């Protein structure tokens, strides 16, 4: 059965990418074996790694001032690696939800965590106004979460900060055009918009890499990755291969300009259905902070939510249950979700509302 997969992560990948991976699985590029079976030091994998890097530079607009590396341990490992490598004394954090808080928790082991702004008091329903942020002069960096996967909020623009801006873009990386040069570092667990779980894509400015201290474990140093082109040890080769295919696909469809247009369109259709439902469907998120990736919404009662979830599941829509910590519904509409999936969901929402 064809399903529309609204999982928050690991999430659906473009159908064309899944088909290509299947086709190449047992025989990569006429080499007689799969990419999983190739040496990470061989020419077949080296070509994959090189073109993955080039694709990311090209699609995302990453200049030569930045290194691109792939590190195991997902985004959560970065929560610790960032302060371990880059924090000298204190850093500023903007707390916009579960993932921001987890990043702050890890950083406390390495220095002073200063909360520059937070939306915790209003249940993380918005991105705090830049004008209200209390940034400090001697902060090593400013850490933000560009899209809050669980609460359904997203930055519409980014502030200019004196200290390097570091963004956890796990759930909206390469979903729209951003000015990479506004950031000191961008990182993302791969399993939302890029590929398989288990690795993080890290884009880091060279002057930040230079802060890496000597006396930390080799595998936790940024320099280990940047100086060896992610090949100090065996990298997650299949994950990198999948990111290469996903970024090939991004180029084929017209790059981030096209993808951003698609994402705007999908989010507009879904939020319109919510806004036009006379309060039957409602989102707790403030309008100017709505996520275009994770659309969080509620129904009048929890009983109706359970009934709605059952109905959509029977109609081939999976992954719509909200995060266990907040309840309700969540439609994750990452790059790979076609407009058709969102339109079908909206039709089902309409039908359900009329009948219930
Ligand atoms: C999914 C997610 C993470 C966690 O990623 P892991 O790869 O599981 O560590 C961190 N931050 C954000 C914003 C996420 O969406």
């Amino acid at each position: 059965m064809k399903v529309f997969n609204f999982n928050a992560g690991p999430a659906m990948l473009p159908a064309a990418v899944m088909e290509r991976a299947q086709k190449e699985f047992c025989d990569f590029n006429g080499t007689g074996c799969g990419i999983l079976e190739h040496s990470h030091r061989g020419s077949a994998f080296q070509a994959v790694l090189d073109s993955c890097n080039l694709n990311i530079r090209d699609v995302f607009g990453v200049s030569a001032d930045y290194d691109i590396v792939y590190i195991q341990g997902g985004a959560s490992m970065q929560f610790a690696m960032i302060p371990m490598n880059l924090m000298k004394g204190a850093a500023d954090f903007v707390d916009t939800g579960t993932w921001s808080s987890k990043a702050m928790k890890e950083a406390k082991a390495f220095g002073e965590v200063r909360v520059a702004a937070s939306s915790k008091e209003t249940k993380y329903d918005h991105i705090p106004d830049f004008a209200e942020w209390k940034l400090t002069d001697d902060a090593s960096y400013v850490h933000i979460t560009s899209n809050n996967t669980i609460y359904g909020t997203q930055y519409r623009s980014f502030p200019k900060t004196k200290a390097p801006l570091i963004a956890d873009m796990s759930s909206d990386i390469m979903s729209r055009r951003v000015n990479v040069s506004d950031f000191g570092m961008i990182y993302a667990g791969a399993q939302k918009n890029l590929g398989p779980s288990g690795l993080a894509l890290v884009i880091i400015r060279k002057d930040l890499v230079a802060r890496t201290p000597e006396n930390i474990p080799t595998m936790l140093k940024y320099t280990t990755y940047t100086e060896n082109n992610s090949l100090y040890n065996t990298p997650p080769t299949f994950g990198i291969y999948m990111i290469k295919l996903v970024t090939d696909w991004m180029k084929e469809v017209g790059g981030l300009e096209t993808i951003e247009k698609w994402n705007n369109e999908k989010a507009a259709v879904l939020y319109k259905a919510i806004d036009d439902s006379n309060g039957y469907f409602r989102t707790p998120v403030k309008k100017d902070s709505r996520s275009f990736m994770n659309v969080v919404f509620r129904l009048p009662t929890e009983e109706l939510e359970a009934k709605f979830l059952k109905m959509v599941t029977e109609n081939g829509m999976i992954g719509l249950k909200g995060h266990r910590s907040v309840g309700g519904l969540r439609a994750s509409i990452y790059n790979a979700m076609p407009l058709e999936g969102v339109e079908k969901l909206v039709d089902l929402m309409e039908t359900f509302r009329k009948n219930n």
Side-chain angles (χ1 to χ4, degrees), residues 8-10 73-79 98-100 102-103 143-150 168-172 187-192 196-200 294 330 334:
S76 299
M77 174 89 116
Q78 293 308 305
F79 295 163
T98 310
W99 298 115
S100 310
K102 286 191 168 170
H143 182 277
I144 64 169
T145 313
S146 60
N147 182 72
N148 297 281
T149 326
I150 294 171
D168 175 359
M169 287 196 189
S170 293
S171 49
D172 69 347
Y187 67 101
Q191 67 273 25
K192 279 92 184 206
S197 60
L199 77 159
N294 309 97
R330 169 175 57 174
Y334 299 122

Side-chain angles (χ1 to χ4, degrees), residues 40-315:
H40 60 296
R41 312 263 172 222
S43 59
F45 179 71
Q46 188 65 53
V48 168
L49 178 61
D50 290 345
S51 86
C52 189
N53 285 333
L54 281 176
N55 280 356
I56 291 165
R57 286 202 188 275
D58 180 19
V59 175
F60 206 29
V62 183
S63 81
D65 296 338
Y66 294 79
D67 284 312
I68 297 176
V69 293
Y70 309 86
I71 303 179
Q72 304 193 35
S76 299
M77 174 89 116
Q78 293 308 305
F79 295 163
M81 255 181 99
I82 294 165
M84 189 183 241
N85 282 265
L86 309 178
M87 198 175 188
K88 310 283 171 212
D92 291 333
F93 288 78
V94 178
D95 179 15
T96 51
T98 310
W99 298 115
S100 310
S101 311
K102 286 191 168 170
M104 289 158 62
K105 175 171 172 263
E106 293 301 304
K108 279 180 186 146
F110 301 98
E112 189 191 337
V113 168
R114 296 175 180 154
V115 185
S118 172
S119 49
K120 191 175 183 177
E121 294 225 322
T122 52
K123 297 199 176 115
Y124 296 119
D125 63 349
H126 70 286
I127 303 294
D129 231 330
F130 302 158
E132 287 158 21
W133 292 17
K134 292 187 176 60
L135 299 175
T136 57
D137 277 338
D138 58 343
S140 300
Y141 55 83
V142 181
H143 182 277
I144 64 169
T145 313
S146 60
N147 182 72
N148 297 281
T149 326
I150 294 171
Y151 291 93
T153 62
Q154 185 178 27
Y155 285 71
R156 293 264 69 81
S157 64
F158 296 102
K160 296 263 189 277
T161 56
K162 193 168 136 262
L165 185 61
I166 298 183
D168 175 359
M169 287 196 189
S170 293
S171 49
D172 69 347
I173 191 155
M174 291 198 235
S175 65
R176 55 179 169 172
R177 290 165 293 181
V178 305
N179 211 349
V180 173
S181 61
D182 289 345
F183 298 85
M185 173 175 162
I186 291 169
Y187 67 101
Q191 67 273 25
K192 279 92 184 206
N193 261 334
L194 295 175
S197 60
L199 77 159
L201 167 66
V202 172
I203 301 170
I204 180 167
R205 214 170 57 210
K206 291 184 164 138
D207 60 297
L208 289 186
V209 176
R211 291 187 192 176
T212 302
E214 267 312 307
N215 59 340
I216 59 174
T218 308
M219 287 301 288
L220 298 174
K221 282 181 185 171
Y222 285 123
T223 46
T224 300
Y225 297 86
T226 59
E227 288 168 6
N228 297 286
N229 191 21
S230 305
L231 288 166
Y232 171 78
N233 74 325
T234 319
T237 55
F238 193 73
I240 294 169
Y241 162 77
M242 288 300 292
I243 298 178
K244 192 259 179 198
L245 296 196
V246 169
T247 49
D248 277 348
W249 170 82
M250 289 177 174
K251 283 169 73 172
E252 276 158 31
V253 301
L256 291 193
E257 197 180 330
T258 306
I259 286 172
E260 181 177 335
K261 203 178 106 231
W262 289 348
N263 286 335
N264 289 347
E265 215 175 329
K266 285 182 285 175
V269 167
L270 194 39
Y271 283 116
K272 184 170 188 303
I274 292 168
D275 291 340
D276 290 354
S277 71
N278 286 322
Y280 189 83
F281 297 103
R282 61 190 168 76
T283 174
V285 176
K286 291 213 174 124
K287 213 159 191 170
D288 61 1
S289 299
R290 287 174 170 183
S291 170
F292 287 22
M293 295 279 101
N294 309 97
V295 178
V296 167
F297 61 98
R298 311 239 31 167
L299 274 76
T301 65
E302 284 184 17
E303 288 67 36
L304 284 169
E305 286 172 349
K307 195 173 171 195
F308 176 75
L309 201 58
K310 187 163 173 283
M311 182 263 217
V312 292
T313 310
E314 282 163 7
N315 282 277

